[in-house]
Structure formats: C-alpha cells, structure tokens
Amino acid sequence: MHPIHDEVLAYIANPAPERFAALALAVFEHQFASIPAYRAVCERRGATPDSVGDWRLVPPVPTLAFKYRQLCCAPPEHVFMTSGTTTGGERRGRHPMPDLRLYRAAALAGLRQFVLPDRHDIRIVSLIPPVQQRPESSLAQMVAWALEAFGAPGSVVCAGDDRFDFDAGAAALRRSEADGAPVCIMTTTAGLLRFLDHCDRRGWTFRLPHGSRLMDTGGTKGAPRVLSRQGLLHGCWSAFAIPGYFVVNEYGMAELSSQFYDNVVRDRYHGLATRRAKTSPPWLRTRVLDPATLREVPDGDPGVLCHTDLANAGTALSVLTEDLGRLTADGLEITGRVAGAEARGCSLALAEFVS
C-alpha cells in the first residue's frame, strides 16, 4: 500500500496538529495521481498538486458522486454502501476502501476518545446487526471492531435477520444490574426508540451501574416516531438510569472513515465545562460553506458541511455533504439538510463528477 497510508496511520496514533496541513496536501497529491475520475475534475478546475498550496483549496467530492464514480486509489479491500434512501434506494453510494487499516484505526481511536476515555473495556450490548449479516454496512463493521477491541465478557449482539432481540438485550442489562458491571449500549437512534417503546409496553425499567453509557447514531430515519434529543435523553434516564452526560450521539456517513461524537463523555472526563456539541478527532476537520457559492462562511454562520478526513487517504480526502450546520465555540452543530435553490453550489459540484 502507498506509504502515505502509513503516515496517516502514524498521525492517528499520535496526532500532531501542526502536521495536518502538510499531510492533507500529501494525501491530495496521492489521490490526484491515482484516481482518474478525481484527477479529471481537478484538472478542469486547474487544481493540481503544484497549484494547490492550502488544504482548504483541495477540490471536494460531493457525497452523491459516490453513486456514480469509482473513487479509490487501488483495488478495494472492501466496499461499504450508503443506505441510498434519498433517491429511492435504486442507486446507492459506494465507498470502496483499498486499505481497511485506515478505517479501523480511525474508528477505534474515535470510540476510545469520545465514548470510552475512562475505560479499558466495557460490556457492550449492541442493537446493530452483526457485520456477517450486513457486510456492506460501515456501522456494523465499526461495532464489530468495537466488540473485538473493547468488549468485556458478557457483551452481546441483540439484532439480526431484520429484527431486534429485545429479550436478549434485557437479559444482558439485568446481568449488569446484578453484578454491577457497567454496560455500553450501541444502537441506531431508530433502534433505541424501538427499544424504549418496547420497554414501556412491557413495563421494563433498568437501574444500570454508574459508568454505563449509550452511543446512538443515524438520526430518526426508520424510527417509529419522532422524539426530540431532550426527550430521548429523558427516555434513557427513565428506562436505563443512564444520565445525559453518558449518552453520546455519533454523526458519521459511509463516505467518511472517521466520525463525529457528542463531546459530553470526553469533556466530563477531562473536567471541561462545555455545551453539548459534535466534535471530531484531530485527523478530521470541517469547513462550513455557503451552499450556493461554496465559499467559506464566517465562524458561527450556518452553511453546508465539507469534511477533510485524513483517514480517507485511499478514497476522497475532502467530502462535500448535503448536511447543514455551523461551528460554535464547543464544536459542530448539525441543523438540517440542504435543499432547493440553496443547493446550487452542491449541484454544480456534483455535475462535474457525472458529466
């Protein structure tokens, strides 16, 4: 594999912020040389390794382009797929990864930093289907690695075959109540809502040991109902006795190798007084752009999110999303999805890849 991948792995293991810019430009040079579809777009823009001297000027790849182009610097070791629901599911985005070491290192280091900074391991109760049943799911792969790396005895997977096994999940939580071993519930937000509703119907409540926590992801897509974040935190306390500062929402996407997390566990562990916000590991940076012009907006202003992920060294360093948000003093705030006339800049960027 290309030596730049090893440099990124070393950065993830030992981040040095002053090296981010040079490493990002080296990744851009690697992708320009090895991904023909990307190089063609860059050349039309006049953006080459010789002309681009700032990582912020690296041409981004729109997330929708993953549906139309093979963006991979070498034959893929594995291909992850997006859910593909925004255009009816007939065409799904493909993220072919030539070097899974990058994704594994970024995923585990992110979980360590934002979900488990205070623990070597923990009993994990997963409501995510096993990767053997969902090999196309980057989330299923990430949770499988989490079970391998951090899962204490008694960890279980309580989902599969398109159904949840809530009885098995309840049994695992009862074991933690009985033996005092903290537990980490990993789930989609939709799966969590279904579990909370099931607990309510069955009259189940759990008083989990202190240090127990929950990580949810994916928003309310596929959920049986809509519930505010505050309502969900209240539900976690009522059903599991997990306080809000131990409930971490993850924001990720199949097109990235790194993830954002709520700052609550990390900042509590480090004694920092902050408001809940999404934060990223040192190898992932975000710019907020005007959705019409794709120019960077002033700090605090809303715009479309563009992520620069060093762990995407084998595919697309800079990814232009359709998510809206803004940067605050405490981190990133996600506010919605770009749509309509506002999306002009995003649409033009996509057209460059599919023309």
Side-chain angles (χ1 to χ4, degrees), residues 49-346:
D50 290 332
S51 66
V52 173
D54 186 332
W55 64 271
R56 299 171 186 83
L57 301 179
V58 170
V61 176
T63 51
L64 287 176
F66 286 81
K67 296 184 177 184
Y68 299 96
R69 290 289 181 265
Q70 176 88 348
L71 299 164
C72 189
C73 68
E77 184 178 358
H78 193 83
V79 178
F80 294 111
M81 308 283 286
T82 65
S83 58
T85 56
T86 56
T87 57
E90 71 283 356
R91 175 174 281 184
R92 299 170 65 183
R94 302 174 75 257
H95 191 184
M97 292 192 179
D99 189 350
L100 272 181
R101 297 179 304 160
L102 293 162
Y103 179 38
R104 185 178 188 278
L108 293 182
L111 285 166
R112 169 65 73 199
Q113 183 174 349
F114 294 104
V115 182
L116 300 168
D118 54 332
R119 299 191 62 85
H120 174 70
D121 60 12
I122 194 168
R123 184 175 293 167
I124 295 174
V125 174
S126 171
L127 295 178
I128 308 293
V131 70
Q132 293 82 2
Q133 294 184 15
R134 299 287 177 82
E136 80 286 0
S137 167
S138 56
L139 175 62
Q141 180 62 78
M142 184 178 80
V143 173
W145 284 329
L147 284 161
E148 292 173 4
F150 308 128
S155 297
V156 293
V157 177
C158 305
D161 295 329
D162 297 322
R163 61 181 291 274
F164 296 105
D165 187 348
F166 291 139
D167 288 340
L173 300 187
R174 293 295 181 211
R175 281 195 294 275
S176 283
E177 280 186 314
D179 63 19
V183 61
C184 177
I185 301 172
M186 292 187 169
T187 178
T188 62
T189 308
L192 173 60
L193 283 169
R194 292 182 186 281
F195 193 26
L196 290 173
D197 287 348
H198 190 83
C199 290
D200 186 56
R201 286 192 297 271
R202 300 290 292 272
W204 292 347
T205 58
F206 306 88
R207 313 322 292 169
L208 296 177
H210 178 70
S212 296
R213 62 204 66 193
L214 184 146
M215 185 205 80
D216 71 297
T217 185
T220 56
K221 184 170 58 180
R225 59 192 170 94
V226 176
L227 185 63
S228 69
R229 194 68 197 165
Q230 197 59 36
L232 190 143
L233 296 178
H234 179 74
C236 289
W237 173 251
S238 299
F240 311 126
I242 297 178
Y245 55 78
F246 271 131
V247 178
V248 178
N249 180 252
E250 183 246 25
Y251 160 67
M253 55 185 63
E255 297 88 349
L256 294 178
S257 299
S258 304
Q259 301 79 36
F260 295 79
Y261 293 90
D262 284 351
N263 54 359
V264 288
V265 172
R266 183 200 64 176
D267 289 358
R268 179 180 172 81
Y269 175 70
H270 291 291
L272 301 175
T274 54
R275 297 176 58 189
R276 181 183 292 269
K278 295 286 181 296
T279 48
S280 61
W283 53 92
L284 173 61
R285 295 188 183 182
T286 296
R287 294 183 302 133
V288 181
L289 310 179
D290 184 305
T293 65
L294 298 188
R295 294 192 180 96
E296 203 159 334
V297 302
D299 285 349
D301 283 5
V304 66
L305 304 180
C306 183
H307 306 305
T308 299
D309 183 5
L310 294 180
N312 260 11
T315 55
L317 169 70
S318 181
V319 175
L320 178 64
T321 76
E322 294 183 306
D323 293 327
L324 293 171
R326 65 190 185 98
L327 292 171
T328 72
D330 296 313
L332 179 63
E333 179 181 309
I334 312 293
T335 59
R337 297 276 290 178
V338 68
E342 284 185 328
R344 178 175 175 274
C346 300

